[in-house]
Amino acid sequence: MKKITDIAKILNAEIINLGDPQREITGGYAGDFLSFVMGKAPADCAWFTVMTNVNVCAVATLADVGVIVLCEGVTPDKNLLEKAKEHNVNIIATKADVFNAVKTFASYED
């Protein structure tokens, strides 16, 4: 299991919102098609995406995602950030592309 701060370190990511700093991350999911994420992302996962609108928070909440990992240098829009704070959703952001972010995350061992 990984902590949000550990994931941020290994991905050289900025912590955007730390709503639940003790949340343990047990897996990962990469995708931008929101209905797929809702149905397929495992609970407590790190969700790797380039989507930055407010719907990302709703999907993360519904799927019980542990942390949203924004990739490729994208930043959350204002509405996403507000909702993430309201619902204690963890968000970090990395400049790495999705492939390399997932590869780095997957190679990290506890």
Side-chain angles (χ1 to χ4, degrees):
M1 292 189 204
K2 302 166 184 75
K3 297 283 188 187
I4 309 302
T5 53
D6 295 330
I7 296 167
K9 283 180 191 173
I10 66 166
L11 294 176
N12 195 28
E14 174 186 358
I15 295 173
I16 303 294
N17 190 60
L18 200 53
D20 184 1
Q22 298 307 313
R23 184 91 181 244
E24 293 186 345
I25 306 306
T26 58
Y29 187 84
D32 295 321
F33 199 51
L34 300 181
S35 62
F36 272 47
V37 178
M38 283 189 292
K40 296 179 185 256
D44 299 318
C45 75
W47 171 23
F48 295 82
T49 185
V50 295
M51 299 288 294
T52 61
N53 63 51
V54 70
N55 295 330
V56 169
C57 186
V59 169
T61 302
L62 286 170
D64 201 22
V65 165
V67 61
I68 299 165
V69 182
L70 300 177
C71 299
E72 303 196 25
V74 300
T75 57
D77 75 15
K78 183 180 121 187
N79 294 327
L80 171 55
L81 188 53
E82 287 173 5
K83 282 294 181 186
K85 288 179 181 180
E86 181 181 327
H87 294 281
N88 296 321
V89 173
N90 297 309
I91 303 176
I92 62 176
T94 182
K95 293 187 186 307
D97 61 49
V98 174
F99 176 81
N100 283 301
V102 169
K103 186 170 76 170
T104 301
F105 172 78
S107 68
Y108 175 78
E109 298 194 19
D110 293 325

XYZ file of all heavy atoms in Angstrom:
827
model
N 0.834 -1.186 0.000
C 0.000 0.000 0.000
C 0.871 1.238 0.000
O 1.934 1.242 0.594
C -0.902 0.003 1.224
C -1.952 -1.067 1.216
S -3.089 -0.801 2.556
C -3.683 -2.454 2.736
N 0.381 2.254 -0.686
C 1.143 3.483 -0.818
C 0.336 4.656 -0.266
O -0.878 4.688 -0.377
C 1.451 3.737 -2.291
C 2.222 2.620 -2.970
C 2.183 2.797 -4.486
C 2.839 1.675 -5.216
N 2.075 0.443 -5.264
N 1.006 5.611 0.298
C 0.383 6.851 0.767
C 0.452 7.898 -0.352
O 1.315 7.832 -1.230
C 1.104 7.399 1.996
C 1.041 6.478 3.194
C -0.306 6.573 3.840
C -0.270 5.801 5.155
N -1.553 5.701 5.757
N -0.416 8.874 -0.294
C -0.483 9.932 -1.307
C 0.860 10.663 -1.407
O 1.361 10.902 -2.503
C -1.599 10.949 -0.982
C -2.940 10.269 -0.704
C -1.706 12.009 -2.075
C -3.483 9.412 -1.782
N 1.453 10.993 -0.282
C 2.714 11.728 -0.308
C 3.836 10.901 -0.931
O 4.708 11.452 -1.610
C 3.109 12.205 1.102
O 3.098 11.083 1.995
C 2.138 13.269 1.617
N 3.811 9.584 -0.717
C 4.818 8.707 -1.334
C 4.653 8.701 -2.853
O 5.634 8.766 -3.597
C 4.693 7.274 -0.818
C 4.998 7.157 0.660
O 5.804 7.956 1.174
O 4.414 6.260 1.304
N 3.416 8.617 -3.306
C 3.149 8.612 -4.745
C 3.580 9.929 -5.367
O 4.197 9.953 -6.429
C 1.662 8.314 -5.026
C 1.318 6.901 -4.552
C 1.345 8.479 -6.511
C -0.161 6.624 -4.505
N 3.287 11.025 -4.682
C 3.697 12.340 -5.186
C 5.224 12.410 -5.334
O 5.737 12.931 -6.328
C 3.192 13.443 -4.266
N 5.938 11.860 -4.373
C 7.406 11.876 -4.442
C 7.920 11.064 -5.620
O 8.776 11.525 -6.370
C 8.009 11.345 -3.138
C 7.977 12.319 -2.014
C 8.586 11.719 -0.761
C 8.319 12.608 0.432
N 8.737 11.986 1.687
N 7.412 9.845 -5.784
C 7.960 9.005 -6.847
C 7.589 9.517 -8.238
O 8.312 9.267 -9.191
C 7.576 7.520 -6.694
C 6.091 7.290 -6.866
C 8.072 6.953 -5.394
C 5.709 5.835 -7.056
N 6.480 10.255 -8.329
C 6.068 10.815 -9.633
C 6.567 12.242 -9.833
O 6.267 12.860 -10.843
C 4.549 10.780 -9.762
C 3.910 9.395 -9.813
C 2.392 9.522 -9.852
C 4.416 8.612 -11.014
N 7.297 12.755 -8.840
C 7.731 14.144 -8.884
C 6.521 15.046 -9.134
O 6.547 15.924 -9.986
C 8.815 14.357 -9.943
C 9.541 15.670 -9.766
O 9.637 16.183 -8.653
N 10.023 16.222 -10.866
N 5.459 14.770 -8.381
C 4.180 15.444 -8.588
C 3.932 16.508 -7.524
O 4.413 16.395 -6.392
C 3.046 14.425 -8.565
N 3.157 17.485 -7.900
C 2.714 18.528 -6.986
C 1.420 18.060 -6.321
O 0.526 17.521 -6.978
C 2.455 19.808 -7.771
C 1.863 20.935 -6.956
C 1.478 22.137 -7.792
O 1.693 22.126 -9.025
O 0.932 23.077 -7.202
N 1.317 18.257 -5.029
C 0.069 17.958 -4.331
C -0.868 19.142 -4.550
O -0.574 20.262 -4.143
C 0.301 17.681 -2.838
C 1.141 16.407 -2.686
C -1.024 17.572 -2.096
C 1.577 16.103 -1.272
N -1.975 18.886 -5.205
C -2.965 19.921 -5.502
C -3.992 20.022 -4.384
O -4.347 21.105 -3.940
C -3.690 19.632 -6.841
C -2.694 19.504 -7.989
C -4.759 20.676 -7.124
C -1.955 20.774 -8.339
N -4.499 18.884 -3.940
C -5.448 18.845 -2.826
C -5.207 17.561 -2.038
O -5.173 16.481 -2.604
C -6.897 18.876 -3.321
C -7.870 19.092 -2.182
O -7.806 20.112 -1.499
N -8.767 18.147 -1.959
N -5.027 17.721 -0.747
C -4.804 16.579 0.124
C -6.000 16.496 1.068
O -5.958 16.922 2.210
C -3.488 16.748 0.889
C -2.856 15.512 1.484
C -2.686 14.415 0.443
C -1.520 15.859 2.099
N -7.093 15.946 0.533
C -8.335 15.864 1.286
C -8.337 14.750 2.309
O -8.991 14.841 3.340
N -7.622 13.682 2.038
C -7.566 12.523 2.928
C -6.132 11.985 2.912
O -5.835 11.000 2.247
C -8.560 11.451 2.454
C -8.639 10.257 3.387
O -7.951 10.239 4.428
O -9.391 9.316 3.061
N -5.236 12.648 3.656
C -3.815 12.312 3.572
C -3.464 10.899 4.043
O -2.428 10.369 3.667
C -3.139 13.353 4.454
C -4.208 13.944 5.295
C -5.497 13.749 4.570
N -4.305 10.270 4.836
C -4.020 8.928 5.341
C -4.532 7.821 4.429
O -4.323 6.645 4.702
C -4.625 8.763 6.740
C -4.050 9.712 7.765
C -2.528 9.653 7.827
O -1.933 8.580 7.882
N -1.890 10.810 7.799
N -5.184 8.196 3.342
C -5.750 7.204 2.421
C -4.640 6.331 1.850
O -3.607 6.830 1.404
C -6.462 7.942 1.280
C -7.183 7.066 0.294
C -8.615 6.864 0.725
N -9.339 6.008 -0.164
C -10.381 6.379 -0.898
N -10.814 7.613 -0.854
N -10.997 5.504 -1.648
N -4.831 5.024 1.886
C -3.855 4.097 1.340
C -4.282 3.675 -0.058
O -5.436 3.305 -0.284
C -3.691 2.897 2.263
C -3.069 3.301 3.581
C -2.747 2.135 4.477
O -3.232 1.021 4.244
O -1.997 2.353 5.435
N -3.352 3.737 -0.982
C -3.616 3.433 -2.387
C -3.167 2.002 -2.658
O -2.033 1.625 -2.364
C -2.869 4.432 -3.302
C -3.219 5.871 -2.907
C -3.181 4.158 -4.760
C -4.691 6.206 -2.859
N -4.071 1.230 -3.237
C -3.800 -0.194 -3.401
C -3.714 -0.643 -4.853
O -3.541 -1.834 -5.118
C -4.880 -1.031 -2.691
O -6.155 -0.697 -3.235
C -4.886 -0.762 -1.198
N -3.825 0.262 -5.791
C -3.750 -0.118 -7.196
C -3.806 1.106 -8.069
O -3.689 2.234 -7.590
N -4.012 0.883 -9.354
C -4.058 2.001 -10.281
C -5.050 1.769 -11.403
O -5.460 0.631 -11.662
N -5.411 2.858 -12.066
C -6.288 2.798 -13.237
C -5.956 3.999 -14.111
O -5.789 5.107 -13.605
C -7.769 2.842 -12.831
C -8.684 2.622 -14.010
C -8.986 1.332 -14.440
C -9.223 3.684 -14.713
C -9.796 1.115 -15.541
C -10.047 3.483 -15.811
C -10.330 2.198 -16.219
O -11.129 1.980 -17.308
N -5.864 3.788 -15.404
C -5.599 4.886 -16.340
C -6.734 4.964 -17.338
O -7.113 3.943 -17.929
C -4.273 4.662 -17.069
N -7.279 6.141 -17.513
C -8.338 6.319 -18.496
C -8.990 7.677 -18.405
O -8.982 8.313 -17.349
N -9.564 8.080 -19.527
C -10.234 9.377 -19.604
C -11.709 9.261 -19.966
O -12.420 10.252 -19.959
C -9.529 10.278 -20.628
C -8.120 10.624 -20.194
O -7.909 10.856 -18.998
O -7.232 10.648 -21.057
N -12.152 8.077 -20.290
C -13.558 7.878 -20.628
C -14.288 7.664 -19.298
O -14.176 6.603 -18.677
C -13.694 6.680 -21.570
C -14.980 6.636 -22.326
C -15.438 7.746 -23.034
C -15.737 5.480 -22.347
C -16.624 7.701 -23.736
C -16.929 5.429 -23.044
C -17.378 6.546 -23.743
N -14.993 8.687 -18.842
C -15.490 8.718 -17.475
C -16.412 7.555 -17.121
O -16.359 7.038 -16.006
C -16.159 10.060 -17.183
C -15.234 11.281 -17.326
C -15.980 12.564 -16.990
C -13.992 11.143 -16.469
N -17.238 7.107 -18.047
C -18.122 5.986 -17.735
C -17.312 4.700 -17.513
O -17.690 3.864 -16.690
C -19.175 5.781 -18.823
O -18.578 5.465 -20.057
N -16.192 4.546 -18.212
C -15.318 3.394 -17.970
C -14.712 3.487 -16.572
O -14.651 2.485 -15.859
C -14.195 3.336 -19.005
C -14.543 2.587 -20.254
C -15.733 2.814 -20.920
C -13.671 1.659 -20.775
C -16.046 2.124 -22.082
C -13.969 0.962 -21.932
C -15.163 1.198 -22.580
N -14.253 4.658 -16.200
C -13.649 4.834 -14.880
C -14.660 4.492 -13.799
O -14.346 3.781 -12.841
C -13.106 6.269 -14.704
C -12.533 6.458 -13.302
C -12.059 6.587 -15.764
N -15.892 4.971 -13.956
C -16.933 4.683 -12.956
C -17.161 3.184 -12.798
O -17.385 2.700 -11.703
C -18.253 5.349 -13.328
C -18.277 6.821 -13.034
S -19.920 7.549 -13.226
C -20.173 7.414 -14.984
N -17.104 2.454 -13.889
C -17.402 1.031 -13.837
C -16.222 0.115 -13.623
O -16.394 -1.038 -13.235
N -15.014 0.609 -13.862
C -13.859 -0.285 -13.851
C -12.747 0.077 -12.875
O -11.947 -0.783 -12.519
C -13.270 -0.378 -15.260
C -14.241 -1.006 -16.253
C -13.636 -1.072 -17.640
C -14.645 -1.588 -18.620
N -14.437 -2.956 -19.007
N -12.658 1.329 -12.466
C -11.586 1.716 -11.548
C -11.823 1.079 -10.179
O -12.917 1.200 -9.624
C -11.513 3.236 -11.422
N -10.821 0.399 -9.640
C -11.002 -0.212 -8.322
C -10.974 0.840 -7.208
O -10.318 1.876 -7.336
C -9.814 -1.169 -8.203
C -8.786 -0.649 -9.145
C -9.523 0.079 -10.229
N -11.690 0.570 -6.138
C -11.660 1.460 -4.976
C -10.219 1.598 -4.484
O -9.416 0.685 -4.611
C -12.545 0.904 -3.873
N -9.910 2.755 -3.966
C -8.602 3.066 -3.380
C -7.468 3.109 -4.396
O -6.303 3.018 -4.031
C -8.248 2.074 -2.258
C -9.254 2.106 -1.124
O -9.681 3.211 -0.747
O -9.622 1.022 -0.634
N -7.798 3.257 -5.681
C -6.749 3.287 -6.703
C -6.240 4.712 -6.935
O -6.841 5.693 -6.522
C -7.274 2.715 -8.018
S -8.387 3.796 -8.935
N -5.111 4.776 -7.624
C -4.611 6.022 -8.195
C -5.151 6.069 -9.621
O -4.911 5.154 -10.400
C -3.084 6.036 -8.196
N -5.913 7.095 -9.933
C -6.520 7.242 -11.254
C -5.679 8.222 -12.063
O -5.592 9.392 -11.730
C -7.956 7.711 -11.127
C -8.627 8.105 -12.397
C -8.312 7.722 -13.665
C -9.746 8.985 -12.522
N -9.166 8.296 -14.572
C -10.055 9.084 -13.891
C -10.505 9.694 -11.609
C -11.097 9.871 -14.365
C -11.546 10.477 -12.078
C -11.837 10.550 -13.448
N -5.073 7.749 -13.137
C -4.212 8.543 -14.005
C -5.048 9.074 -15.158
O -5.648 8.304 -15.912
C -3.059 7.690 -14.536
C -2.130 7.233 -13.445
C -2.438 6.127 -12.662
C -0.953 7.923 -13.184
C -1.597 5.708 -11.647
C -0.103 7.508 -12.173
C -0.426 6.396 -11.399
N -5.072 10.400 -15.327
C -5.927 11.027 -16.330
C -5.368 12.377 -16.759
O -4.482 12.931 -16.102
C -7.365 11.209 -15.774
O -8.221 11.712 -16.793
C -7.405 12.138 -14.577
N -5.901 12.891 -17.856
C -5.622 14.267 -18.279
C -6.891 15.116 -18.209
O -6.871 16.291 -18.549
C -4.999 14.341 -19.698
C -3.631 13.688 -19.726
C -5.915 13.751 -20.744
N -7.974 14.520 -17.758
C -9.242 15.241 -17.615
C -9.162 16.177 -16.415
O -8.660 15.782 -15.358
C -10.401 14.262 -17.416
C -10.611 13.307 -18.566
S -11.311 14.102 -20.017
C -12.917 14.538 -19.412
N -9.680 17.395 -16.559
C -9.534 18.376 -15.479
C -10.825 19.110 -15.139
O -10.799 20.096 -14.420
C -8.474 19.429 -15.853
O -8.897 20.117 -17.032
C -7.116 18.804 -16.059
N -11.956 18.638 -15.634
C -13.197 19.361 -15.334
C -13.861 18.820 -14.071
O -13.439 17.816 -13.500
C -14.150 19.319 -16.539
C -14.598 17.914 -16.880
O -15.052 17.173 -16.022
N -14.458 17.545 -18.149
N -14.916 19.473 -13.645
C -15.584 19.150 -12.381
C -16.123 17.723 -12.346
O -16.223 17.117 -11.268
C -16.685 20.188 -12.069
C -17.861 20.045 -13.033
C -17.130 20.099 -10.630
N -16.444 17.143 -13.485
C -16.968 15.779 -13.516
C -15.960 14.759 -12.982
O -16.346 13.691 -12.520
C -17.392 15.397 -14.933
C -18.552 16.235 -15.404
O -19.382 16.674 -14.613
N -18.612 16.466 -16.700
N -14.693 15.081 -13.037
C -13.648 14.195 -12.530
C -13.845 13.947 -11.029
O -13.692 12.816 -10.554
C -12.246 14.778 -12.836
C -11.153 14.035 -12.108
C -12.005 14.768 -14.335
N -14.219 14.956 -10.292
C -14.455 14.795 -8.855
C -15.648 13.884 -8.611
O -15.598 13.002 -7.743
C -14.667 16.148 -8.189
S -14.804 16.030 -6.391
N -16.710 14.070 -9.370
C -17.899 13.228 -9.203
C -17.565 11.765 -9.486
O -17.955 10.869 -8.724
C -19.015 13.716 -10.119
N -16.835 11.520 -10.554
C -16.463 10.146 -10.911
C -15.545 9.550 -9.845
O -15.727 8.406 -9.431
C -15.820 10.107 -12.314
C -15.194 8.755 -12.590
C -16.857 10.451 -13.370
N -14.581 10.326 -9.389
C -13.663 9.839 -8.352
C -14.422 9.483 -7.078
O -14.128 8.465 -6.435
C -12.593 10.884 -8.063
N -15.400 10.276 -6.739
C -16.201 10.016 -5.546
C -17.053 8.766 -5.728
O -17.081 7.891 -4.859
C -17.079 11.236 -5.222
O -16.236 12.378 -5.035
C -17.884 11.015 -3.957
N -17.723 8.652 -6.869
C -18.565 7.483 -7.142
C -17.762 6.188 -7.179
O -18.211 5.151 -6.701
C -19.307 7.650 -8.465
C -20.462 8.628 -8.463
C -20.943 8.877 -9.891
C -21.606 8.105 -7.611
N -16.570 6.244 -7.756
C -15.732 5.049 -7.891
C -14.867 4.801 -6.652
O -14.153 3.813 -6.594
C -14.855 5.169 -9.136
N -14.917 5.722 -5.697
C -14.118 5.624 -4.472
C -12.618 5.580 -4.776
O -11.856 4.817 -4.187
C -14.535 4.424 -3.630
C -14.112 4.555 -2.174
O -13.873 5.690 -1.711
O -13.998 3.515 -1.493
N -12.210 6.408 -5.734
C -10.806 6.537 -6.128
C -10.021 7.153 -4.962
O -10.497 8.075 -4.302
C -10.705 7.424 -7.398
C -9.300 7.907 -7.648
C -11.262 6.670 -8.599
N -8.821 6.662 -4.741
C -7.992 7.160 -3.644
C -7.270 8.460 -3.949
O -7.097 9.306 -3.079
N -6.824 8.615 -5.181
C -6.140 9.840 -5.603
C -6.279 9.991 -7.113
O -6.164 9.022 -7.853
C -4.643 9.864 -5.189
C -3.861 8.728 -5.823
C -3.994 11.212 -5.492
N -6.542 11.202 -7.526
C -6.538 11.544 -8.947
C -5.129 12.016 -9.275
O -4.591 12.894 -8.596
C -7.544 12.673 -9.259
C -8.968 12.242 -8.906
C -7.438 13.095 -10.723
C -9.959 13.406 -8.851
N -4.544 11.415 -10.292
C -3.206 11.816 -10.737
C -3.368 12.496 -12.094
O -3.602 11.834 -13.108
C -2.245 10.614 -10.851
C -0.855 11.089 -11.269
C -2.189 9.835 -9.550
N -3.260 13.818 -12.101
C -3.336 14.574 -13.347
C -1.970 14.506 -14.020
O -0.950 14.814 -13.399
C -3.733 16.023 -13.073
C -5.083 16.226 -12.387
C -5.305 17.716 -12.107
C -6.201 15.653 -13.225
N -1.955 14.091 -15.274
C -0.700 13.868 -15.987
C -0.485 14.914 -17.078
O -1.377 15.675 -17.409
C -0.712 12.468 -16.613
S -0.851 11.149 -15.407
N 0.715 14.925 -17.626
C 1.107 15.745 -18.768
C 1.052 17.248 -18.483
O 0.871 18.060 -19.385
C 0.280 15.364 -19.995
C 0.447 13.885 -20.298
C 0.001 13.450 -21.674
O -0.008 14.286 -22.584
O -0.311 12.254 -21.812
N 1.196 17.613 -17.208
C 1.258 19.017 -16.841
C -0.070 19.740 -16.813
O -0.092 20.965 -16.668
N -1.185 19.010 -16.913
C -2.488 19.676 -16.862
C -2.781 20.105 -15.426
O -2.254 19.548 -14.473
C -3.632 18.789 -17.415
C -3.371 18.416 -18.864
C -3.859 17.555 -16.562
N -3.611 21.114 -15.288
C -4.002 21.606 -13.972
C -5.523 21.574 -13.855
O -6.225 21.727 -14.863
C -3.491 23.047 -13.734
O -3.995 23.898 -14.760
C -1.977 23.095 -13.725
N -6.025 21.380 -12.650
C -7.477 21.300 -12.484
C -8.134 22.653 -12.724
O -7.558 23.684 -12.392
C -7.645 20.863 -11.024
C -6.419 21.349 -10.341
C -5.323 21.264 -11.379
N -9.331 22.616 -13.309
C -10.048 23.878 -13.429
C -10.583 24.263 -12.048
O -10.551 23.478 -11.097
C -11.112 23.840 -14.525
C -12.375 23.060 -14.196
O -12.627 22.729 -13.020
O -13.135 22.783 -15.133
N -11.028 25.491 -11.928
C -11.467 26.047 -10.654
C -12.576 25.205 -10.016
O -12.562 24.925 -8.816
C -11.934 27.484 -10.870
C -12.360 28.211 -9.629
C -12.796 29.621 -9.958
C -14.224 29.766 -9.515
N -14.881 30.969 -9.877
N -13.538 24.784 -10.807
C -14.661 24.014 -10.278
C -14.223 22.648 -9.748
O -14.728 22.182 -8.728
C -15.751 23.848 -11.336
C -16.395 25.158 -11.696
O -16.538 26.046 -10.862
N -16.781 25.306 -12.950
N -13.301 22.005 -10.438
C -12.780 20.722 -9.962
C -12.090 20.900 -8.618
O -12.326 20.136 -7.682
C -11.815 20.094 -10.973
C -11.038 18.863 -10.497
C -11.955 17.764 -9.995
C -10.123 18.361 -11.598
N -11.260 21.906 -8.508
C -10.539 22.143 -7.261
C -11.505 22.427 -6.111
O -11.346 21.892 -5.006
C -9.543 23.286 -7.438
C -8.580 23.532 -6.283
C -7.841 22.254 -5.891
C -7.608 24.623 -6.646
N -12.525 23.226 -6.359
C -13.514 23.532 -5.318
C -14.236 22.264 -4.858
O -14.406 22.032 -3.656
C -14.533 24.552 -5.831
C -13.978 25.945 -5.961
C -14.950 26.916 -6.640
O -16.113 26.527 -6.929
O -14.548 28.071 -6.875
N -14.669 21.438 -5.813
C -15.377 20.199 -5.465
C -14.456 19.219 -4.743
O -14.878 18.523 -3.819
C -15.968 19.537 -6.710
C -17.221 20.189 -7.198
C -18.343 20.022 -6.193
C -19.603 20.671 -6.715
N -20.687 20.655 -5.732
N -13.206 19.149 -5.171
C -12.248 18.256 -4.511
C -12.071 18.655 -3.050
O -12.041 17.791 -2.167
C -10.914 18.275 -5.249
N -11.983 19.939 -2.794
C -11.859 20.415 -1.409
C -13.117 20.099 -0.621
O -13.051 19.657 0.531
C -11.566 21.910 -1.393
C -10.161 22.231 -1.848
C -9.898 23.714 -1.861
C -8.479 23.984 -2.337
N -8.163 25.408 -2.380
N -14.261 20.298 -1.241
C -15.552 20.049 -0.585
C -15.739 18.575 -0.232
O -16.305 18.239 0.813
C -16.667 20.513 -1.521
C -18.066 20.362 -0.992
C -19.109 20.826 -2.001
O -18.832 21.776 -2.780
O -20.190 20.219 -2.021
N -15.269 17.675 -1.088
C -15.484 16.235 -0.907
C -14.240 15.474 -0.448
O -14.234 14.236 -0.467
C -16.013 15.620 -2.205
C -17.380 16.118 -2.563
N -18.518 15.645 -1.963
C -17.779 17.068 -3.439
C -19.567 16.268 -2.468
N -19.145 17.144 -3.357
N -13.194 16.209 -0.052
C -11.954 15.596 0.440
C -11.342 14.615 -0.546
O -10.901 13.516 -0.184
C -12.181 14.913 1.791
C -12.552 15.900 2.864
O -12.004 17.002 2.918
N -13.495 15.535 3.711
N -11.297 15.007 -1.808
C -10.718 14.176 -2.862
C -9.254 14.564 -3.046
O -8.930 15.742 -3.222
C -11.502 14.338 -4.185
C -10.810 13.609 -5.326
C -12.933 13.840 -4.005
N -8.379 13.580 -3.009
C -6.946 13.810 -3.202
C -6.645 14.015 -4.683
O -7.128 13.248 -5.520
C -6.148 12.597 -2.707
C -6.324 12.368 -1.227
O -6.165 13.270 -0.424
N -6.666 11.143 -0.864
N -5.838 15.038 -4.979
C -5.386 15.293 -6.349
C -3.912 15.647 -6.324
O -3.476 16.485 -5.538
C -6.148 16.460 -7.015
C -7.653 16.213 -7.032
C -5.627 16.692 -8.438
C -8.455 17.385 -7.607
N -3.155 14.990 -7.203
C -1.768 15.375 -7.431
C -1.585 15.581 -8.936
O -2.395 15.109 -9.730
C -0.766 14.339 -6.877
C -0.904 12.981 -7.558
C -0.918 14.213 -5.361
C 0.139 11.946 -7.108
N -0.535 16.294 -9.306
C -0.301 16.584 -10.726
C 1.168 16.384 -11.056
O 2.048 16.837 -10.329
C -0.719 18.007 -11.055
N 1.401 15.709 -12.175
C 2.756 15.441 -12.641
C 2.916 15.906 -14.085
O 1.944 15.952 -14.833
C 3.103 13.935 -12.522
O 4.444 13.729 -12.951
C 2.160 13.069 -13.335
N 4.129 16.228 -14.441
C 4.419 16.595 -15.833
C 4.605 15.358 -16.715
O 4.560 15.437 -17.934
C 5.655 17.479 -15.891
C 5.444 18.837 -15.238
C 6.627 19.746 -15.465
C 6.519 21.042 -14.715
N 5.327 21.800 -14.911
N 4.766 14.196 -16.083
C 4.967 12.955 -16.837
C 3.731 12.620 -17.669
O 2.603 12.910 -17.265
C 5.262 11.809 -15.878
N 3.961 12.003 -18.820
C 2.815 11.540 -19.604
C 2.197 10.336 -18.890
O 2.784 9.769 -17.975
C 3.205 11.217 -21.048
C 4.246 10.110 -21.165
O 4.070 9.048 -20.535
O 5.227 10.306 -21.900
N 0.999 9.977 -19.291
C 0.264 8.910 -18.606
C 1.065 7.606 -18.600
O 1.185 6.947 -17.564
C -1.134 8.707 -19.241
C -1.834 7.513 -18.626
C -1.985 9.966 -19.086
N 1.609 7.224 -19.748
C 2.351 5.967 -19.835
C 3.490 5.932 -18.825
O 3.642 4.968 -18.068
C 2.895 5.770 -21.254
C 3.746 4.540 -21.390
C 3.158 3.292 -21.548
C 5.129 4.615 -21.347
C 3.939 2.146 -21.657
C 5.910 3.492 -21.446
C 5.318 2.247 -21.605
N 4.316 6.959 -18.805
C 5.475 6.956 -17.913
C 5.077 7.121 -16.447
O 5.729 6.559 -15.564
C 6.485 8.015 -18.339
C 7.266 7.539 -19.552
O 7.914 6.504 -19.502
N 7.163 8.267 -20.650
N 4.018 7.858 -16.180
C 3.540 7.987 -14.802
C 3.074 6.635 -14.283
O 3.427 6.229 -13.170
C 2.424 9.019 -14.720
N 2.309 5.908 -15.080
C 1.830 4.588 -14.671
C 3.002 3.622 -14.514
O 3.076 2.857 -13.546
C 0.793 4.041 -15.674
C 0.489 2.576 -15.403
C -0.477 4.868 -15.629
N 3.939 3.676 -15.449
C 5.108 2.788 -15.390
C 5.912 3.049 -14.109
O 6.302 2.102 -13.421
C 5.973 3.015 -16.634
C 7.129 2.055 -16.766
C 7.796 2.163 -18.126
C 8.641 3.397 -18.197
N 9.500 3.446 -19.397
N 6.118 4.294 -13.774
C 6.853 4.646 -12.563
C 6.085 4.197 -11.325
O 6.651 3.606 -10.400
C 7.117 6.167 -12.512
O 7.875 6.523 -13.670
C 7.855 6.563 -11.255
N 4.797 4.464 -11.305
C 3.946 4.054 -10.179
C 3.986 2.535 -9.994
O 4.146 2.041 -8.886
C 2.516 4.523 -10.437
C 1.499 4.013 -9.457
C 1.373 4.581 -8.209
C 0.653 2.958 -9.794
C 0.421 4.127 -7.301
C -0.289 2.485 -8.897
C -0.404 3.069 -7.645
N 3.868 1.803 -11.084
C 3.831 0.345 -11.021
C 5.160 -0.252 -10.558
O 5.190 -1.326 -9.958
C 3.436 -0.233 -12.380
N 6.253 0.434 -10.839
C 7.567 -0.121 -10.475
C 7.931 0.164 -9.014
O 8.867 -0.434 -8.491
C 8.652 0.444 -11.390
O 8.840 1.820 -11.147
N 7.180 1.043 -8.377
C 7.440 1.361 -6.983
C 7.003 0.197 -6.104
O 5.909 -0.312 -6.225
C 6.683 2.624 -6.577
C 6.791 2.967 -5.130
C 7.937 3.576 -4.616
C 5.756 2.685 -4.252
C 8.036 3.901 -3.282
C 5.854 2.997 -2.902
C 6.988 3.604 -2.441
O 7.088 3.917 -1.104
N 7.851 -0.226 -5.204
C 7.507 -1.320 -4.295
C 7.536 -0.811 -2.879
O 8.393 -0.019 -2.511
C 8.477 -2.479 -4.478
C 8.415 -3.041 -5.887
C 9.104 -4.379 -6.033
O 9.314 -5.030 -5.011
O 9.388 -4.737 -7.172
N 6.607 -1.304 -2.074
C 6.551 -0.904 -0.662
C 7.781 -1.363 0.088
O 8.373 -2.333 -0.184
C 5.302 -1.492 0.006
C 4.029 -0.868 -0.559
O 4.067 0.323 -0.876
O 3.027 -1.593 -0.669
